[in-house]
Amino acid sequence: MSEKEKKLNDEQMEEISGGHHHHHDHEREKYEGQHGWITKDAFGNVTFTDKTGNVGTFSAADWQKLCSQWAYTGNPEFYISTIDNSELRGVLAGL
């Protein structure tokens, strides 16, 4: 198999779960300035860009503690996405 045959084109990439999808760009624009963005790695560690653009990192265990804090909302990550990183650090320090 040649190197060219091993590479996926854009259309094929759209079919891969977790691949870049244009829909996400529109969602980001819709909530710009209102919500932050959560990115998780394979181990569950989180990089969170809050609504002001500040970036924070959280271990998987710390993120789970934060999610547990707002589990009653039914969608804790959505609620967390409305909070600044500095406030999240303060909440985490109190848990």
Side-chain angles (χ1 to χ4, degrees):
M1 183 178 291
S2 73
E3 286 298 313
K4 187 174 182 177
E5 291 174 322
K6 291 180 185 178
K7 294 180 182 177
L8 299 176
N9 62 35
D10 288 340
E11 193 172 296
Q12 292 167 318
M13 287 297 290
E14 290 286 337
E15 300 299 318
I16 296 173
S17 176
H20 176 73
H21 197 282
H22 299 289
H23 171 74
H24 298 296
D25 293 338
H26 296 296
E27 286 297 308
R28 183 177 292 249
E29 289 170 10
K30 184 167 112 178
Y31 291 113
E32 194 74 39
Q34 299 175 31
H35 296 276
W37 298 97
I38 300 164
T39 306
K40 293 182 183 179
D41 68 14
F43 303 104
N45 300 309
V46 171
T47 300
F48 175 60
T49 305
D50 68 22
K51 61 188 174 188
T52 65
N54 292 322
V55 178
T57 57
F58 298 87
S59 69
D62 284 346
W63 192 255
Q64 186 56 47
K65 287 178 190 176
L66 290 170
C67 286
S68 295
Q69 180 72 17
W70 288 290
Y72 70 90
T73 66
N75 191 350
E77 288 189 341
F78 180 81
Y79 184 81
I80 290 169
S81 74
T82 67
I83 302 172
D84 294 340
N85 271 309
S86 60
E87 293 175 80
L88 290 175
R89 290 283 175 209
V91 168
L92 195 54
L95 295 178

